[in-house]
Amino acid sequence: MPQFDRRNLIKAGLSLALLGGMDAPRLLAQARFTRDPFTLGVAAGDPWPDGFVIWTRLAPEPQTPDGGMPPHDVPVRWEVAEDPAFRKIVRSGKAVANALLAHSVHVEVDGLRPHRPYWYRFLVAGAATSPVGTARTAPAAGAPLDRLRLAMLGCQDFEMGFFTAYAHVAREPDLDAVFHYGDYIYEMAARTEPSARKHIGAETYTLDDYRRRYAQYKADPDLQAAHAAVAFVMSFDDHEIDDNWAGDFDKDGNPPAVFARRKAAALQAWYEHVPVRRAQRPGPGAAHAYRRLDYGTLARMHVLDTRSHRSDQLCERPGLSRAQLDACYPVDEPARTMIGAAQEAWLDRGLASGARWNFIAQQVLFMPFDARRDGAAAPVVGKDNWNGYPLSRQRLVDGIARRGLTNVVIGSGDLHQNVVGSVPRHMQDLEGPAIASEFLATSISSGGTGGAHYPGESRALDYNPNVKLLNNQRGYQLFTVTPDRWLAEVKVMDQVDRPGGTIATLAKFAVDPRQPGPQLA
């Protein structure tokens, strides 16, 4: 464990006891490191025209309760350059690795030029320099843009496979950003059955539990490589906290006050480990995770939060048998919501931007989808995605129609599959006119290596004529966006149960901004 500089501590004239509250005066001192403090790498996020946020966390012993750090804040220097060798440093400054935030560092860099790459690093006294990361600023507001390159991914269960897909993301050329739809960690204890790797510790409940779980995931070299190669736009789904949680409710039926404590710990750990801005730091009850990013006049990205403000799921509470769950059909009510009234209004206003493309970047399946297996007579409706909140979904669809938009692309995740299809204007007319296109990206590792389809899905496309592709391999999706076309490449891994998997393009789809609905390209 590193030793802290007691002379600086004495000069500060403060007691370590002051660190007991969030508003306590900072006790700032140097740390003496005997191990590399940058074991969790670096990351950048949320590109704006004049900058982005850069992140690291000092953790020389990341699986110990304090990360191997002393109980006081530590000064950190940061540099941003126009070249990877740092010959031309254009921005630099001092930040604080806050002990109350697990010695994480979030710097909101500004003053940069729009739409160009920069390189960044961190330096702390008594230790080697951090790894170098790179990120690209967004175009200037209102500027025309010929091309935007985005990757979309998520669902990275550490036990179910290796993160090799991230190594391929790190090598993708000319990426502007990555949208991570969520499930960055999984909260459960180690499985008893054989798996590729094992979680350390029991199921996560406390702040220390979640910190150690993030540290285990972020130590992965492929994940670190992707973060160092491109800025991420981060969101969260359920497993960052608890499987299938919704608003104030967990899946186990605990009182909301009990779940609130777990959720607060989980959201603080999420903030401590991802490259988001101070505006996304959790406050009482929740994190303000929904936000917008603009890429000139070409595209507006609306990042949603489909967990924090939603009504409780129907048909998902404890005590129901598997047969009862499958037979339960959610009966919606107007008061139920997926994203809350405030976020609904915010999204509706944002769709009026005049951007060539509107990208609704969110977490769960939006389009109508019948999930029945072969031989089943009755449709099976998802309860934990927009299919379980049909009136909330209809309000968004009606808003898109009211504005006459034909340029809406919805990005999704959670299912551990690739699903490409159309959102119909009228949900009962699956083969009728489309109101939007949806690309649901498969998992990085969750579900294991997989194959073409889940067992029992050979007739799935018969039940879902609005779906163009259904695939059960791991990987990510890659979007190349121009004024006249949204090109989506479905990238799949041959295997994830051991290192060294290869990536291939399974299919390409194109969307015309004047005509919703993906078509094979």
Side-chain angles (χ1 to χ4, degrees), residues 63 74 86 140 152 211 259 280 319 330 339 366 369 401 405 433-434 456 460 472 517:
Q63 281 301 321
V74 173
F86 286 80
M152 182 172 69
R211 283 172 171 171
F259 179 53
Q280 278 65 67
I339 59 176
F366 188 88
F369 187 81
L405 298 175
N472 182 35

Side-chain angles (χ1 to χ4, degrees), residues 65-241:
D66 55 10
M69 291 295 294
H72 59 74
D73 296 352
V74 173
V76 177
R77 291 188 296 127
W78 56 270
E79 296 176 340
V80 175
E82 290 187 349
D83 62 285
F86 286 80
R87 287 184 293 267
K88 187 175 182 181
I89 295 172
V90 292
R91 297 284 285 147
S92 62
K94 295 180 180 179
V96 171
N98 192 325
L100 295 174
L101 294 174
H103 292 95
S104 61
V105 181
H106 296 75
V107 178
E108 297 184 21
V109 181
D110 59 13
L112 303 179
R113 291 188 290 159
H115 202 218
R116 63 145 295 155
Y118 288 91
W119 288 260
Y120 62 92
R121 65 186 179 187
F122 298 90
L123 306 95
V124 62
T129 303
S130 77
V132 173
T134 185
R136 185 186 298 268
T137 50
L145 183 63
D146 293 333
R147 192 179 79 152
L148 172 67
R149 293 257 294 171
L150 301 171
M152 182 172 69
L153 47 78
C155 285
Q156 51 200 56
D157 187 333
F158 187 85
E159 290 198 331
M160 294 303 290
F162 289 88
F163 295 170
T164 317
Y166 273 121
H168 296 290
V169 170
R171 292 191 287 268
E172 290 284 359
D174 299 324
L175 280 181
D176 289 278
V178 168
F179 169 57
H180 195 294
Y181 62 70
D183 289 349
Y184 194 89
I185 63 164
Y186 278 68
E187 82 286 7
M188 66 276 291
R191 296 170 174 87
T192 56
E193 62 268 23
S195 58
R197 305 185 281 187
K198 291 295 183 184
H199 283 143
I200 298 173
E203 184 168 346
T204 54
Y205 289 97
T206 68
L207 178 57
D208 181 56
D209 292 340
Y210 284 104
R211 283 172 171 171
R212 294 181 68 187
R213 186 59 53 84
Y214 274 98
Q216 184 178 14
Y217 277 56
K218 293 192 74 71
D220 184 273
D222 293 330
L223 176 58
Q224 289 193 16
H227 271 302
V230 59
F232 275 52
V233 178
M234 299 295 307
S235 61
F236 54 77
D237 193 25
D238 53 339
H239 287 289
E240 285 87 350
I241 299 174

Side-chain angles (χ1 to χ4, degrees), residues 241-395:
I241 299 174
D242 183 38
D243 182 35
N244 285 8
W245 71 279
D248 295 332
F249 305 96
D250 67 7
K251 69 174 181 179
D252 301 315
N254 288 309
V258 173
F259 179 53
R261 292 194 289 272
R262 181 181 188 181
K263 182 166 62 171
L267 288 175
Q268 177 171 332
W270 174 79
Y271 175 79
E272 291 171 349
H273 291 88
V274 297
V276 292
R277 296 178 182 272
R278 284 186 295 273
Q280 278 65 67
R281 180 173 174 178
H288 189 86
Y290 63 89
R291 58 207 190 274
R292 295 190 189 97
L293 291 92
D294 286 331
Y295 284 87
T297 60
L298 180 61
R300 166 166 281 188
M301 183 187 298
H302 313 261
V303 182
L304 303 192
D305 175 358
T306 60
R307 288 287 168 187
S308 299
H309 312 285
R310 72 156 77 175
S311 305
D312 196 9
Q313 295 103 331
L314 298 170
C315 311
E316 287 269 333
R317 294 307 98 205
L320 295 177
S321 69
R322 184 71 261 170
Q324 288 173 317
L325 287 172
D326 289 341
C328 183
Y329 195 94
V331 178
D332 208 6
E333 298 174 358
R336 296 184 71 249
T337 178
M338 173 63 90
I339 59 176
Q343 191 175 180
E344 283 188 17
W346 167 87
L347 177 57
D348 184 68
R349 292 192 303 271
L351 289 170
S353 70
R356 184 64 169 171
W357 293 96
N358 278 287
F359 180 39
I360 300 179
Q362 51 99 53
Q363 291 73 43
V364 293
L365 179 71
F366 188 88
M367 72 179 89
F369 187 81
D370 181 352
R372 78 178 100 169
R373 292 294 194 256
D374 296 347
V380 174
V381 178
K383 317 332 187 270
D384 189 52
N385 57 50
W386 289 85
N387 285 275
Y389 300 77
L391 296 182
S392 187
R393 176 176 63 189
Q394 193 62 50
R395 288 193 293 272

